[in-house]
Amino acid sequence: MEAGAQVVVLDNLRQGHRQAIPDGVTLIEADVAEADQVLSKGKWAGVLHFAALSLVGESMRDPMRYMIENGGQGYRLIDACIRHGVPKFVLSSTANLFGTPDQVPITEGARIAPGSPYGESKLAIEKALQWAGELHDLRFACLRYFNAAGADPQGRIGEHHDPETHLIPLAIDAALGRRPPLVVFGTDYPTPDGTAVRDYIHVNDLAEAHLLALHQLDRGSVIYNLGCGAGYSVKQVIASVERVLGRKVPHELGPRRAGDPAILVASSDRIQRETGWTPEFNDLDQIVRTAADWRLAHPAGYGSSREYSGTAR
Ligand SMILES: NC(=O)c1ccc[n+]([C@@H]2O[C@H](COP(=O)([O-])OP(=O)(O)OC[C@H]3O[C@@H](n4cnc5c(N)ncnc54)[C@H](O)[C@@H]3O)[C@@H](O)[C@H]2O)c1
């Protein structure tokens, strides 16, 4: 919206929140399966496809649900875009496509070997887009996010998942006494402090990358890895939350989780080179500060009937 676009959000609110939609944006409360009808009415500059089931652990327990829902809805949405002449499609893809990588930082050309049915379902959509791009006029951007984190620095939008599985909000809530102690999964990884290392990218930098990718589609389809290019261990995230909040993060040390690689760090050289994208929030404390500010100001998240629940993990 701030970039001057007219925005319509289609969300079934299964995980999303009505209160997260700013004034001036139309919300259509519907399933992606119904997007065809919506796209048939009007002229659209592009579709950005964020909707998904996105819990890696859940996908290991219920793989076919992920393949059917994420894959099937992705196929249907691409088909609808083709039939209604939508020229551009941006997919929220994932670092999970790379499973346990051979080397870091991970470039777009790295070996693809999804670490879960969740990652496999995103790969299925990426492949469908390749065919749609080759055989139709649809131009696509596959944006493979690493760990999305942080909140709107102006405090308007923040992170509220149920269940919450992301490390930064869990660590903040543990520090604030709103959740049980955080469990650190794995302390014997081949990393400097033994805990897993991830690349955290601020949501505003992600949003900016989407706008640049949309422009880039005027020249042709693109695939970009999106991270800051810096890895932080779980212990470094805990230390950052403690610095930002000035409180200890109660935590326990636990065993590794199956399928969690030691280190996931993106090479975002390609998007930087081709679009000039540069992450503004390239310091972990900056990212954690925005997340902490939002959680301090919104103790019940979006304040729906569903309060924060579940256990820290
Ligand atoms: N958060 C991350 O670190 C991360 C990393 C890599 C990729 N991604 C991808 O980015 C996207 C957004 O992630 P998020 O963390 O904001 O997830 P989220 O669950 O917070 O948001 C997904 C949104 O899609 C909606 N939705 C889901 N299924 C739907 C359906 N069938 N019809 C209509 N609406 C539906 C939900 O209600 C929710 O508002 C997802 O596709 C996810 O796989 C996220």
Side-chain angles (χ1 to χ4, degrees), residues 113-132:
S116 68
Y118 161 67
E120 195 70 49
S121 71
K122 293 284 183 174
L123 178 59
I125 308 173
E126 284 205 8
K127 285 184 174 167
L129 283 170
Q130 296 277 1
W131 284 112

Side-chain angles (χ1 to χ4, degrees), residues 47-309:
V47 163
L48 296 100
H49 180 34
F50 300 97
L53 298 171
S54 57
L55 300 177
V56 171
E58 185 182 68
S59 82
M60 299 296 270
R61 294 189 294 277
D62 203 352
M64 288 312 124
R65 179 171 173 227
Y66 271 67
M67 297 305 295
I68 292 166
E69 286 201 29
N70 285 356
Q73 274 151 12
Y75 293 162
R76 275 208 286 268
L77 188 55
I78 295 166
D79 183 47
C81 287
I82 293 166
R83 279 184 299 102
H84 301 300
V86 180
K88 296 180 179 180
F89 191 106
V90 180
L91 172 68
S92 302
S93 190
T94 171
N96 194 266
L97 245 53
F98 300 105
T100 300
D102 298 331
Q103 57 186 51
V104 284
I106 305 170
T107 62
E108 289 79 2
R111 184 174 57 95
I112 301 284
S116 68
Y118 161 67
E120 195 70 49
S121 71
K122 293 284 183 174
L123 178 59
I125 308 173
E126 284 205 8
K127 285 184 174 167
L129 283 170
Q130 296 277 1
W131 284 112
E134 208 168 306
L135 304 175
H136 299 279
D137 288 334
L138 188 66
R139 293 204 173 162
F140 63 86
C142 296
L143 303 184
R144 297 163 175 170
Y145 313 164
F146 281 59
N147 288 51
D152 169 28
Q154 294 181 47
R156 295 165 299 188
I157 305 176
E159 192 170 7
H160 178 177
H161 290 117
D162 190 4
E164 187 55 78
T165 60
H166 292 167
L167 177 60
I168 291 174
L170 288 176
I172 291 170
D173 280 3
L176 296 175
R178 294 179 186 160
R179 285 182 195 271
L182 184 76
V183 179
V184 177
F185 291 114
T187 52
D188 59 349
Y189 283 107
T191 58
D193 65 20
T195 63
V197 168
R198 295 291 180 268
D199 186 335
Y200 295 89
I201 174 167
H202 190 273
V203 284
N204 274 31
D205 287 325
L206 267 183
E208 181 65 21
H210 285 70
L211 293 176
L212 292 168
L214 275 172
H215 286 302
Q216 196 66 13
L217 289 183
D218 291 331
R219 298 183 183 183
S221 297
V222 291
I223 296 178
Y224 293 135
N225 288 359
L226 273 174
C228 284
Y232 293 98
S233 71
V234 177
K235 283 191 178 165
Q236 285 177 308
V237 171
I238 290 174
S240 172
V241 171
E242 291 182 341
R243 273 193 303 276
V244 165
L245 285 176
R247 294 172 181 234
K248 285 282 169 210
V249 175
H251 61 276
E252 295 163 5
L253 305 180
R256 293 184 187 192
R257 257 184 327 199
D260 265 351
I263 305 178
L264 287 176
V265 175
S267 161
S268 295
D269 289 354
R270 185 189 280 178
I271 186 169
Q272 299 205 17
R273 203 175 50 243
E274 291 186 3
T275 73
W277 178 77
T278 326
E280 187 191 332
F281 293 82
N282 52 13
D283 170 72
L284 183 62
D285 284 10
Q286 263 184 308
I287 294 177
V288 168
R289 161 67 58 200
T290 61
D293 284 348
W294 195 81
R295 283 181 106 79
L296 284 166
H298 301 86
Y302 283 104
S304 66
S305 53
R306 290 184 306 176
E307 299 284 301
Y308 285 136
S309 63

Side-chain angles (χ1 to χ4, degrees), residues 34-50:
E34 299 160 71
D36 182 77
Q37 275 173 296
V38 177
L39 292 177
S40 72
K41 296 178 199 133
K43 193 161 165 52
W44 307 88
V47 163
L48 296 100
H49 180 34
F50 300 97

